[in-house]
Amino acid sequence: MANIKKLPVTYPMITSWQWHATLFSILSDDDNAKKWIFSNYIQLRCYNIQEIFTGDDMLLADIMPGSSSLKECPYLITSIMTKQQIESYTGNIIDFIIKTIDLDGYIYGVFDEARILSDYDVDYKFPHELFIYGYNMDEEVFYVGDFTFKDHYSYNTVSFADIEKGYSVITAGDDHMFKDDYKGTRGLYVIFKNSDTPYYDVDLAFIRDTLREYLNSVDSKNHFRMMRNRFTDTTFGINVYDRVLNRIIEQTSKDEPDFDIRALHLMYDHKVLMYERIKYLMANGYLDYNEDLLKTYSVVVKNMLAARNLLIKISINGRVEEANKFKSYFAIAKEKELGVLLEVLAELDRKLS
């Protein structure tokens, strides 16, 4: 066993949620995986849920596939390991993580980051997903990817002792990752990269069909009713613009404003990934090269970035009167995106007819 081992990671193209940041950390630079990535992550959805940490109402926005992508992606082999299995195989969490990394497996799971962040015992928990991709035996630290340690997604180190503390106090009820997978228990994902063999080619028909669902705000979740029960208030596709904008206006008009940036950051990531998808399809001959189309879509990206940065700015300086700018940013982005994607859809229809 080496004293230091780091599995390969690349800073992810999108970072809005930990499951996306984890998958893209492992696969962003892989040519085979890009064929799957750019065939997916087109449809948007959002719905209200109760925030797991505060109990407050929040608007959860995500790109499909969401957290299930870690299991569904053909270029990852993901095993769900229960706490009982982990303890049976190695006796403790530290040895389990080290042995998994020695086998070139990444670790993804829920840890109490309140215990990791604090040097003292605390009487509350902050359960959050953590991505672990390496270890240093000399310094007794793991290499991790997470949002919690800085104000953006970053790669850091966490001591063996803190990982053990952060893992030991999480109960099945705290483990929202396993709860969302309907397992009703506590555990971790073990993830192996599986991209040497091309299992999946660019799926133009699927891209076309999903773009049409996005542009028409079709309820795509009906395709997956065999997997879980539905939320009743889900908004899909281009209509997510309006729901996120309404949420921001509602947040910033309160007597005590709420500056939850997550839905807006997800919207920005969606535009970044769509722009990269269009460039990829053009560069590989699936779409005709069209510089005007790329320039127009770059305006979409810039406006969503401006909106995201404005919400961050308002959360710092408290100048909620600036929130009137959101309507302009959203209106421009929505109009330009509709124009570009309708052209892309028309071209795909022609090529596939």
Side-chain angles (χ1 to χ4, degrees):
M1 180 175 68
N3 282 346
I4 300 173
K5 181 164 183 176
K6 284 187 185 181
L7 301 179
V9 293
T10 303
Y11 193 80
M13 276 190 281
I14 59 172
T15 61
S16 40
W17 291 111
Q18 182 80 351
W19 44 88
H20 296 317
T22 295
L23 184 146
F24 280 76
S25 286
I26 300 170
L27 295 176
S28 276
D29 262 2
D30 190 276
D31 288 338
N32 280 332
K34 285 178 181 177
K35 297 174 183 178
W36 180 84
I37 287 170
F38 289 129
S39 297
N40 288 274
Y41 298 101
I42 294 171
Q43 178 66 299
L44 281 178
R45 73 176 187 268
C46 65
Y47 47 87
N48 288 320
I49 64 167
Q50 190 177 66
E51 223 280 347
I52 59 174
F53 306 122
T54 66
D56 295 337
D57 186 58
M58 70 168 283
L59 181 67
L60 191 150
D62 204 358
I63 316 173
M64 298 176 72
S67 58
S68 60
S69 59
L70 290 171
K71 302 188 297 295
E72 294 166 354
C73 176
Y75 293 109
L76 297 177
I77 299 173
T78 300
S79 300
I80 295 176
M81 305 296 293
T82 66
K83 185 177 181 181
Q84 290 83 359
Q85 286 176 294
I86 291 166
E87 291 172 350
S88 173
Y89 295 157
T90 60
N92 67 79
I93 186 63
I94 303 303
D95 286 345
F96 179 81
I97 296 173
I98 290 171
K99 288 183 178 181
T100 298
I101 292 168
D102 282 338
L103 293 171
D104 295 333
Y106 302 84
I107 294 289
Y108 176 82
V110 174
F111 293 78
D112 178 21
E113 296 192 356
R115 298 306 192 281
I116 293 173
L117 290 169
S118 177
D119 293 330
Y120 308 96
D121 289 334
V122 292
D123 59 0
Y124 60 90
K125 294 179 184 178
F126 179 50
H128 196 269
E129 304 100 309
L130 192 67
F131 170 54
I132 304 176
Y133 64 92
Y135 63 78
N136 185 320
M137 298 294 289
D138 298 327
E139 298 179 10
E140 296 191 349
V141 297
F142 289 113
Y143 298 100
V144 305
D146 194 77
F147 294 93
T148 305
F149 307 112
K150 295 185 179 178
D151 58 1
H152 60 278
Y153 188 78
S154 59
Y155 299 123
N156 298 279
T157 58
V158 176
S159 71
F160 289 177
D162 284 344
I163 287 290
E164 191 163 29
K165 284 193 302 180
Y167 180 78
S168 64
V169 299
I170 293 293
T171 65
D174 298 324
D175 194 338
H176 51 273
M177 183 187 74
F178 265 53
K179 180 179 69 177
D180 288 346
D181 284 337
Y182 355 103
K183 307 301 177 189
T185 186
R186 171 84 181 98
L188 298 171
Y189 284 0
V190 172
I191 304 172
F192 295 92
K193 186 176 179 180
N194 181 43
S195 61
D196 291 341
T197 303
Y199 294 104
Y200 193 103
D201 203 357
V202 172
D203 192 336
L204 282 188
F206 185 58
I207 294 171
R208 177 200 59 189
D209 295 345
T210 314
L211 276 176
R212 183 171 283 114
E213 291 187 342
Y214 173 72
L215 291 168
N216 292 321
S217 296
V218 171
D219 185 343
S220 299
K221 201 62 180 175
N222 267 340
H223 301 324
F224 307 102
R225 293 185 74 149
M226 79 294 291
M227 295 173 63
R228 68 175 66 184
N229 297 132
R230 293 179 45 82
F231 292 93
T232 58
D233 67 340
T234 306
T235 298
F236 290 89
I238 204 79
N239 287 346
V240 171
Y241 272 105
D242 299 330
R243 192 155 174 190
V244 172
L245 177 60
N246 290 338
R247 180 67 172 178
I248 292 170
I249 293 170
E250 178 187 328
Q251 288 175 248
T252 53
S253 62
K254 293 179 180 178
D255 292 336
E256 295 183 8
D258 170 21
F259 302 110
D260 185 351
I261 195 176
R262 287 171 289 188
L264 188 45
H265 185 63
L266 185 282
M267 290 283 287
Y268 168 65
D269 269 1
H270 180 260
K271 309 316 166 193
V272 168
L273 196 53
M274 189 69 78
Y275 182 66
E276 293 300 321
R277 179 190 344 271
I278 296 169
K279 286 200 303 181
Y280 177 87
L281 294 175
M282 288 180 180
N284 289 276
Y286 298 104
L287 292 174
D288 297 336
Y289 181 75
N290 187 327
E291 186 174 354
D292 289 339
L293 219 59
L294 291 173
K295 284 182 178 178
T296 302
Y297 203 88
S298 72
V299 175
V300 180
V301 177
K302 288 175 184 176
N303 274 269
M304 294 314 296
L305 176 61
R308 188 202 68 175
N309 289 348
L310 176 61
L311 189 56
I312 295 172
K313 180 182 175 184
I314 293 174
S315 72
I316 295 170
N317 63 27
R319 295 177 185 170
V320 293
E321 65 274 9
E322 295 186 50
N324 60 1
K325 297 178 183 177
F326 284 113
K327 289 184 179 179
S328 175
Y329 291 138
F330 271 64
I332 293 170
K334 186 178 180 180
E335 177 192 2
K336 300 294 186 184
E337 183 173 50
L338 277 168
V340 170
L341 295 187
L342 283 170
E343 282 196 48
V344 170
L345 182 58
E347 183 176 344
L348 290 175
D349 275 335
R350 289 194 300 272
K351 289 181 179 293
L352 292 167
S353 62

